[in-house]
Amino acid sequence: MLEYAAGRTAIATRKPSPNALLVVISVHVALLAAVMSAKMDLPGSIRNSPLVVQLIPEPTPPPEQQIKPQAQPTPHQPNFTQPPRQVDMPTSGGEIVDATPSLPTFDGLMGDPTPRPTVTPTPRPAPVKAGARLITPASELKPPYPMSKLASGEEGAVTVRLTVDERGRVIAVDPVGRPDRAFFEAARRHLLAHWRYQPATEDGRAVATSFTVTLRFQLDG
């Protein structure tokens, strides 16, 4: 086997020949030129037939849809009901009581042609006032004479404002102007201790009040 294999002629690898490749390319070029130069015989009907142009009509657009206006909702009308019928309810004494509630009427709005009389409010009467009245006995009205003024024989007068409460008592003595100090102090102490009044009233009710009085200090003959 080894000898046979060794003695077998090896197939030699054939190398491409440049001349053969050139021949193949030349044949293909010649065929291509023959095809391009050949005149193609077309039927006369095909060569001389006029060009027919078929116009395709433009499709008709669909009709526009008309938009129907939406119906506006009808405003709700309030329902006016008649007032309840008058129901006559007999009472135990046989009288008829009207159970229908009374409704206020307005001139011109409810259609009442009858003019209404103008009601003038009655003015409130002014309160009845009465001033305080002195009830002190005459023997206790005169204040004591100041000793300093008595020795000098000086006389004078004092004007004061008295405040009298609801019980008729003098609760305050205030000077009016600029009185002499000795005369004022003598008068103030005496008025607070001895003078009494029937209190002032307003519509019959006792109220506090204030007023002025003048006291004169004079030496007896």
Short mmCIF file of all heavy atoms in Angstrom, two decimals, residues 4-59:
data_model
loop_
_atom_site.label_atom_id
_atom_site.label_comp_id
_atom_site.label_asym_id
_atom_site.label_seq_id
_atom_site.Cartn_x
_atom_site.Cartn_y
_atom_site.Cartn_z
N TYR A 4 2.26 1.75 -3.38
CA TYR A 4 1.28 2.22 -4.35
C TYR A 4 1.00 3.70 -4.17
O TYR A 4 0.94 4.46 -5.11
CB TYR A 4 -0.01 1.41 -4.24
CG TYR A 4 -1.13 1.93 -5.11
CD1 TYR A 4 -1.10 1.64 -6.50
CD2 TYR A 4 -2.15 2.70 -4.61
CE1 TYR A 4 -2.10 2.11 -7.32
CE2 TYR A 4 -3.14 3.16 -5.43
CZ TYR A 4 -3.12 2.85 -6.79
OH TYR A 4 -4.11 3.31 -7.61
N ALA A 5 0.87 4.04 -2.92
CA ALA A 5 0.62 5.44 -2.66
C ALA A 5 1.79 6.29 -3.06
O ALA A 5 1.67 7.38 -3.57
CB ALA A 5 0.30 5.65 -1.16
N ALA A 6 2.97 5.75 -2.85
CA ALA A 6 4.13 6.53 -3.21
C ALA A 6 4.30 6.62 -4.69
O ALA A 6 4.80 7.60 -5.23
CB ALA A 6 5.38 5.93 -2.55
N GLY A 7 3.90 5.55 -5.43
CA GLY A 7 4.10 5.56 -6.85
C GLY A 7 2.99 6.24 -7.61
O GLY A 7 3.08 6.42 -8.82
N ARG A 8 1.84 6.63 -6.89
CA ARG A 8 0.69 7.30 -7.56
C ARG A 8 1.06 8.71 -7.91
O ARG A 8 1.64 9.44 -7.11
CB ARG A 8 -0.52 7.26 -6.62
CG ARG A 8 -1.75 7.78 -7.31
CD ARG A 8 -2.92 7.66 -6.34
NE ARG A 8 -4.11 8.20 -6.96
CZ ARG A 8 -5.29 8.26 -6.33
NH1 ARG A 8 -5.39 7.81 -5.07
NH2 ARG A 8 -6.36 8.74 -6.97
N THR A 9 0.67 9.06 -9.12
CA THR A 9 1.00 10.40 -9.59
C THR A 9 0.11 11.40 -8.91
O THR A 9 -1.13 11.30 -8.92
CB THR A 9 0.81 10.49 -11.11
OG1 THR A 9 1.63 9.48 -11.73
CG2 THR A 9 1.20 11.86 -11.62
N ALA A 10 0.68 12.29 -8.26
CA ALA A 10 -0.10 13.32 -7.51
C ALA A 10 -0.72 14.30 -8.49
O ALA A 10 -0.10 14.67 -9.49
CB ALA A 10 0.82 14.07 -6.54
N ILE A 11 -1.93 14.60 -8.19
CA ILE A 11 -2.67 15.57 -9.06
C ILE A 11 -2.11 16.93 -8.81
O ILE A 11 -2.16 17.46 -7.68
CB ILE A 11 -4.18 15.52 -8.77
CG1 ILE A 11 -4.71 14.11 -9.05
CG2 ILE A 11 -4.90 16.56 -9.60
CD1 ILE A 11 -6.14 13.92 -8.67
N ALA A 12 -1.60 17.44 -9.80
CA ALA A 12 -0.97 18.76 -9.65
C ALA A 12 -2.03 19.84 -9.57
O ALA A 12 -3.03 19.78 -10.28
CB ALA A 12 -0.05 19.02 -10.83
N THR A 13 -1.83 20.78 -8.71
CA THR A 13 -2.76 21.93 -8.54
C THR A 13 -2.60 22.86 -9.70
O THR A 13 -1.47 23.34 -9.99
CB THR A 13 -2.44 22.66 -7.25
OG1 THR A 13 -2.52 21.76 -6.16
CG2 THR A 13 -3.41 23.80 -7.03
N ARG A 14 -3.78 23.13 -10.39
CA ARG A 14 -3.73 23.97 -11.57
C ARG A 14 -3.84 25.44 -11.17
O ARG A 14 -4.74 25.84 -10.45
CB ARG A 14 -4.89 23.63 -12.51
CG ARG A 14 -4.78 22.22 -13.08
CD ARG A 14 -5.93 21.98 -14.03
NE ARG A 14 -5.85 22.93 -15.15
CZ ARG A 14 -6.75 22.96 -16.13
NH1 ARG A 14 -7.81 22.16 -16.10
NH2 ARG A 14 -6.63 23.82 -17.12
N LYS A 15 -2.94 26.20 -11.67
CA LYS A 15 -2.96 27.62 -11.40
C LYS A 15 -3.76 28.30 -12.47
O LYS A 15 -3.71 27.95 -13.62
CB LYS A 15 -1.53 28.16 -11.40
CG LYS A 15 -0.68 27.62 -10.27
CD LYS A 15 0.69 28.23 -10.29
CE LYS A 15 1.56 27.69 -9.16
NZ LYS A 15 2.93 28.27 -9.15
N PRO A 16 -4.57 29.30 -12.16
CA PRO A 16 -5.37 30.01 -13.16
C PRO A 16 -4.48 30.70 -14.15
O PRO A 16 -3.49 31.31 -13.79
CB PRO A 16 -6.20 30.99 -12.32
CG PRO A 16 -5.43 31.18 -11.06
CD PRO A 16 -4.73 29.90 -10.83
N SER A 17 -4.93 30.62 -15.42
CA SER A 17 -4.16 31.24 -16.50
C SER A 17 -4.67 32.64 -16.75
O SER A 17 -5.88 32.84 -16.92
CB SER A 17 -4.27 30.40 -17.78
OG SER A 17 -3.61 31.07 -18.82
N PRO A 18 -3.87 33.64 -16.84
CA PRO A 18 -4.33 35.03 -17.11
C PRO A 18 -4.92 35.15 -18.48
O PRO A 18 -5.85 35.92 -18.68
CB PRO A 18 -3.07 35.86 -16.97
CG PRO A 18 -2.12 35.02 -16.17
CD PRO A 18 -2.44 33.60 -16.50
N ASN A 19 -4.49 34.38 -19.40
CA ASN A 19 -5.04 34.50 -20.75
C ASN A 19 -6.48 34.02 -20.81
O ASN A 19 -7.31 34.60 -21.50
CB ASN A 19 -4.17 33.68 -21.72
CG ASN A 19 -2.76 34.29 -21.81
OD1 ASN A 19 -2.59 35.49 -21.68
ND2 ASN A 19 -1.76 33.44 -22.07
N ALA A 20 -6.76 32.91 -20.09
CA ALA A 20 -8.14 32.38 -20.09
C ALA A 20 -9.09 33.37 -19.46
O ALA A 20 -10.22 33.59 -19.90
CB ALA A 20 -8.16 31.04 -19.35
N LEU A 21 -8.65 34.03 -18.37
CA LEU A 21 -9.52 35.02 -17.68
C LEU A 21 -9.78 36.19 -18.60
O LEU A 21 -10.89 36.74 -18.65
CB LEU A 21 -8.83 35.48 -16.39
CG LEU A 21 -9.61 36.47 -15.53
CD1 LEU A 21 -10.96 35.89 -15.11
CD2 LEU A 21 -8.80 36.87 -14.29
N LEU A 22 -8.78 36.58 -19.36
CA LEU A 22 -8.95 37.71 -20.26
C LEU A 22 -9.93 37.37 -21.36
O LEU A 22 -10.73 38.19 -21.78
CB LEU A 22 -7.58 38.10 -20.85
CG LEU A 22 -7.58 39.32 -21.78
CD1 LEU A 22 -8.08 40.55 -21.07
CD2 LEU A 22 -6.16 39.54 -22.32
N VAL A 23 -9.91 36.10 -21.83
CA VAL A 23 -10.83 35.67 -22.90
C VAL A 23 -12.26 35.71 -22.40
O VAL A 23 -13.18 36.16 -23.07
CB VAL A 23 -10.45 34.27 -23.39
CG1 VAL A 23 -11.52 33.73 -24.33
CG2 VAL A 23 -9.09 34.32 -24.10
N VAL A 24 -12.47 35.25 -21.18
CA VAL A 24 -13.84 35.24 -20.61
C VAL A 24 -14.37 36.65 -20.51
O VAL A 24 -15.52 36.95 -20.83
CB VAL A 24 -13.83 34.52 -19.24
CG1 VAL A 24 -15.18 34.65 -18.58
CG2 VAL A 24 -13.46 33.06 -19.44
N ILE A 25 -13.54 37.58 -20.05
CA ILE A 25 -14.01 38.96 -19.88
C ILE A 25 -14.34 39.56 -21.24
O ILE A 25 -15.31 40.27 -21.42
CB ILE A 25 -12.94 39.78 -19.15
CG1 ILE A 25 -12.78 39.28 -17.71
CG2 ILE A 25 -13.30 41.27 -19.14
CD1 ILE A 25 -11.64 39.94 -16.96
N SER A 26 -13.52 39.23 -22.25
CA SER A 26 -13.76 39.79 -23.58
C SER A 26 -15.07 39.29 -24.16
O SER A 26 -15.82 40.04 -24.79
CB SER A 26 -12.60 39.43 -24.53
OG SER A 26 -11.39 39.96 -24.01
N VAL A 27 -15.38 38.02 -23.91
CA VAL A 27 -16.64 37.47 -24.42
C VAL A 27 -17.83 38.17 -23.79
O VAL A 27 -18.80 38.53 -24.45
CB VAL A 27 -16.68 35.95 -24.15
CG1 VAL A 27 -18.05 35.38 -24.49
CG2 VAL A 27 -15.62 35.25 -25.01
N HIS A 28 -17.76 38.42 -22.48
CA HIS A 28 -18.89 39.07 -21.79
C HIS A 28 -19.07 40.50 -22.27
O HIS A 28 -20.20 40.99 -22.45
CB HIS A 28 -18.66 39.05 -20.26
CG HIS A 28 -18.96 37.73 -19.63
ND1 HIS A 28 -18.06 36.66 -19.65
CD2 HIS A 28 -20.06 37.27 -18.98
CE1 HIS A 28 -18.59 35.65 -19.02
NE2 HIS A 28 -19.85 35.99 -18.58
N VAL A 29 -17.96 41.18 -22.54
CA VAL A 29 -18.08 42.56 -23.01
C VAL A 29 -18.69 42.59 -24.40
O VAL A 29 -19.51 43.44 -24.72
CB VAL A 29 -16.71 43.25 -23.00
CG1 VAL A 29 -16.76 44.60 -23.71
CG2 VAL A 29 -16.21 43.41 -21.58
N ALA A 30 -18.32 41.61 -25.24
CA ALA A 30 -18.86 41.57 -26.60
C ALA A 30 -20.35 41.29 -26.57
O ALA A 30 -21.13 41.89 -27.32
CB ALA A 30 -18.11 40.52 -27.42
N LEU A 31 -20.78 40.39 -25.70
CA LEU A 31 -22.21 40.09 -25.61
C LEU A 31 -22.99 41.31 -25.12
O LEU A 31 -24.08 41.62 -25.61
CB LEU A 31 -22.43 38.90 -24.67
CG LEU A 31 -21.96 37.54 -25.20
CD1 LEU A 31 -22.14 36.45 -24.12
CD2 LEU A 31 -22.72 37.13 -26.47
N LEU A 32 -22.42 42.01 -24.17
CA LEU A 32 -23.13 43.19 -23.64
C LEU A 32 -23.26 44.26 -24.70
O LEU A 32 -24.29 44.91 -24.85
CB LEU A 32 -22.36 43.74 -22.43
CG LEU A 32 -22.98 44.96 -21.75
CD1 LEU A 32 -24.38 44.65 -21.25
CD2 LEU A 32 -22.09 45.43 -20.60
N ALA A 33 -22.21 44.44 -25.52
CA ALA A 33 -22.27 45.45 -26.57
C ALA A 33 -23.26 45.07 -27.63
O ALA A 33 -23.96 45.92 -28.20
CB ALA A 33 -20.88 45.64 -27.17
N ALA A 34 -23.33 43.74 -27.96
CA ALA A 34 -24.28 43.30 -28.97
C ALA A 34 -25.70 43.51 -28.52
O ALA A 34 -26.58 43.92 -29.27
CB ALA A 34 -24.02 41.82 -29.29
N VAL A 35 -25.91 43.28 -27.25
CA VAL A 35 -27.28 43.47 -26.73
C VAL A 35 -27.66 44.95 -26.78
O VAL A 35 -28.77 45.32 -27.12
CB VAL A 35 -27.40 42.92 -25.30
CG1 VAL A 35 -28.70 43.30 -24.66
CG2 VAL A 35 -27.24 41.40 -25.33
N MET A 36 -26.72 45.83 -26.43
CA MET A 36 -27.05 47.25 -26.39
C MET A 36 -27.21 47.83 -27.78
O MET A 36 -27.97 48.75 -27.99
CB MET A 36 -25.92 48.02 -25.65
CG MET A 36 -25.83 47.68 -24.16
SD MET A 36 -24.50 48.59 -23.33
CE MET A 36 -25.09 50.24 -23.56
N SER A 37 -26.46 47.29 -28.73
CA SER A 37 -26.56 47.84 -30.09
C SER A 37 -27.68 47.22 -30.89
O SER A 37 -28.04 47.72 -31.94
CB SER A 37 -25.22 47.63 -30.81
OG SER A 37 -24.95 46.24 -30.93
N ALA A 38 -28.20 46.16 -30.40
CA ALA A 38 -29.27 45.50 -31.16
C ALA A 38 -30.52 46.34 -31.11
O ALA A 38 -30.84 46.97 -30.11
CB ALA A 38 -29.54 44.10 -30.57
N LYS A 39 -31.18 46.41 -32.23
CA LYS A 39 -32.42 47.17 -32.31
C LYS A 39 -33.56 46.26 -31.99
O LYS A 39 -33.72 45.22 -32.60
CB LYS A 39 -32.56 47.73 -33.72
CG LYS A 39 -33.78 48.60 -33.88
CD LYS A 39 -33.86 49.15 -35.30
CE LYS A 39 -35.08 50.02 -35.46
NZ LYS A 39 -35.18 50.58 -36.86
N MET A 40 -34.26 46.70 -31.02
CA MET A 40 -35.40 45.88 -30.57
C MET A 40 -36.57 46.19 -31.47
O MET A 40 -36.93 47.36 -31.67
CB MET A 40 -35.74 46.21 -29.11
CG MET A 40 -34.60 45.88 -28.13
SD MET A 40 -35.03 46.27 -26.44
CE MET A 40 -36.37 45.12 -26.25
N ASP A 41 -37.12 45.15 -32.07
CA ASP A 41 -38.29 45.31 -32.93
C ASP A 41 -39.54 45.24 -32.09
O ASP A 41 -39.87 44.21 -31.48
CB ASP A 41 -38.31 44.19 -34.00
CG ASP A 41 -37.14 44.33 -34.95
OD1 ASP A 41 -36.70 45.50 -35.10
OD2 ASP A 41 -36.69 43.31 -35.47
N LEU A 42 -40.20 46.40 -31.99
CA LEU A 42 -41.46 46.46 -31.22
C LEU A 42 -42.61 46.51 -32.20
O LEU A 42 -42.47 47.05 -33.31
CB LEU A 42 -41.49 47.69 -30.32
CG LEU A 42 -40.42 47.73 -29.22
CD1 LEU A 42 -40.53 49.02 -28.45
CD2 LEU A 42 -40.57 46.52 -28.30
N PRO A 43 -43.76 46.02 -31.86
CA PRO A 43 -44.94 46.11 -32.75
C PRO A 43 -45.27 47.55 -33.03
O PRO A 43 -45.08 48.44 -32.18
CB PRO A 43 -46.04 45.42 -31.97
CG PRO A 43 -45.33 44.56 -30.96
CD PRO A 43 -44.05 45.25 -30.67
N GLY A 44 -45.78 47.82 -34.27
CA GLY A 44 -46.12 49.18 -34.65
C GLY A 44 -47.23 49.76 -33.83
O GLY A 44 -47.29 50.96 -33.58
N SER A 45 -48.12 48.92 -33.42
CA SER A 45 -49.25 49.41 -32.63
C SER A 45 -48.78 49.99 -31.32
O SER A 45 -49.36 50.93 -30.79
CB SER A 45 -50.26 48.30 -32.39
OG SER A 45 -49.63 47.23 -31.70
N ILE A 46 -47.71 49.41 -30.83
CA ILE A 46 -47.21 49.90 -29.54
C ILE A 46 -46.44 51.17 -29.75
O ILE A 46 -46.52 52.12 -28.98
CB ILE A 46 -46.34 48.82 -28.88
CG1 ILE A 46 -47.20 47.61 -28.52
CG2 ILE A 46 -45.69 49.36 -27.61
CD1 ILE A 46 -46.42 46.46 -27.92
N ARG A 47 -45.65 51.28 -30.90
CA ARG A 47 -44.83 52.46 -31.10
C ARG A 47 -45.65 53.67 -31.46
O ARG A 47 -45.36 54.79 -31.06
CB ARG A 47 -43.80 52.19 -32.21
CG ARG A 47 -42.73 51.19 -31.81
CD ARG A 47 -41.56 51.30 -32.78
NE ARG A 47 -41.98 51.16 -34.18
CZ ARG A 47 -41.97 50.00 -34.83
NH1 ARG A 47 -41.59 48.89 -34.24
NH2 ARG A 47 -42.33 49.96 -36.12
N ASN A 48 -46.72 53.50 -32.29
CA ASN A 48 -47.46 54.64 -32.80
C ASN A 48 -48.74 54.95 -32.03
O ASN A 48 -49.49 55.83 -32.42
CB ASN A 48 -47.81 54.39 -34.27
CG ASN A 48 -46.55 54.23 -35.12
OD1 ASN A 48 -45.53 54.86 -34.83
ND2 ASN A 48 -46.63 53.38 -36.14
N SER A 49 -49.05 54.23 -31.04
CA SER A 49 -50.31 54.48 -30.31
C SER A 49 -50.19 55.77 -29.54
O SER A 49 -49.16 56.06 -28.91
CB SER A 49 -50.60 53.32 -29.35
OG SER A 49 -49.56 53.20 -28.40
N PRO A 50 -51.27 56.68 -29.54
CA PRO A 50 -51.22 57.96 -28.79
C PRO A 50 -51.26 57.70 -27.27
O PRO A 50 -51.77 56.70 -26.81
CB PRO A 50 -52.45 58.71 -29.29
CG PRO A 50 -53.40 57.63 -29.70
CD PRO A 50 -52.54 56.51 -30.25
N LEU A 51 -50.73 58.70 -26.62
CA LEU A 51 -50.72 58.62 -25.16
C LEU A 51 -52.10 58.96 -24.63
O LEU A 51 -52.66 60.01 -24.96
CB LEU A 51 -49.68 59.58 -24.58
CG LEU A 51 -49.57 59.60 -23.07
CD1 LEU A 51 -49.11 58.25 -22.53
CD2 LEU A 51 -48.57 60.68 -22.64
N VAL A 52 -52.65 58.05 -23.93
CA VAL A 52 -54.00 58.26 -23.35
C VAL A 52 -53.84 58.64 -21.90
O VAL A 52 -53.21 57.92 -21.12
CB VAL A 52 -54.86 56.98 -23.49
CG1 VAL A 52 -56.22 57.21 -22.85
CG2 VAL A 52 -55.00 56.61 -24.97
N VAL A 53 -54.39 59.81 -21.56
CA VAL A 53 -54.35 60.30 -20.17
C VAL A 53 -55.74 60.19 -19.58
O VAL A 53 -56.70 60.76 -20.13
CB VAL A 53 -53.86 61.75 -20.09
CG1 VAL A 53 -53.88 62.25 -18.65
CG2 VAL A 53 -52.48 61.87 -20.72
N GLN A 54 -55.89 59.46 -18.58
CA GLN A 54 -57.19 59.26 -17.94
C GLN A 54 -57.22 60.13 -16.68
O GLN A 54 -56.37 60.01 -15.79
CB GLN A 54 -57.39 57.78 -17.58
CG GLN A 54 -58.75 57.51 -16.95
CD GLN A 54 -58.94 56.03 -16.64
OE1 GLN A 54 -58.03 55.24 -16.89
NE2 GLN A 54 -60.10 55.68 -16.12
N LEU A 55 -58.17 61.04 -16.69
CA LEU A 55 -58.34 61.92 -15.54
C LEU A 55 -59.15 61.23 -14.45
O LEU A 55 -60.24 60.72 -14.71
CB LEU A 55 -59.02 63.22 -15.97
CG LEU A 55 -58.28 64.07 -17.01
CD1 LEU A 55 -59.09 65.31 -17.37
CD2 LEU A 55 -56.90 64.45 -16.50
N ILE A 56 -58.60 61.20 -13.32
CA ILE A 56 -59.31 60.61 -12.17
C ILE A 56 -60.03 61.73 -11.45
O ILE A 56 -59.39 62.70 -10.98
CB ILE A 56 -58.34 59.89 -11.23
CG1 ILE A 56 -57.60 58.78 -12.01
CG2 ILE A 56 -59.05 59.33 -10.02
CD1 ILE A 56 -56.54 58.08 -11.18
N PRO A 57 -61.35 61.70 -11.42
CA PRO A 57 -62.08 62.80 -10.74
C PRO A 57 -61.74 62.84 -9.26
O PRO A 57 -61.50 61.83 -8.62
CB PRO A 57 -63.55 62.46 -10.99
CG PRO A 57 -63.55 60.98 -11.20
CD PRO A 57 -62.25 60.65 -11.89
N GLU A 58 -61.70 64.10 -8.78
CA GLU A 58 -61.42 64.29 -7.33
C GLU A 58 -62.63 63.84 -6.52
O GLU A 58 -63.77 64.18 -6.85
CB GLU A 58 -61.12 65.77 -7.06
CG GLU A 58 -60.72 66.04 -5.63
CD GLU A 58 -60.41 67.51 -5.43
OE1 GLU A 58 -60.44 68.26 -6.43
OE2 GLU A 58 -60.15 67.90 -4.28
N PRO A 59 -62.37 63.07 -5.55
CA PRO A 59 -63.53 62.58 -4.76
C PRO A 59 -64.30 63.73 -4.14
O PRO A 59 -63.72 64.72 -3.67
CB PRO A 59 -62.88 61.69 -3.69
CG PRO A 59 -61.47 62.17 -3.60
CD PRO A 59 -61.10 62.62 -4.98
#
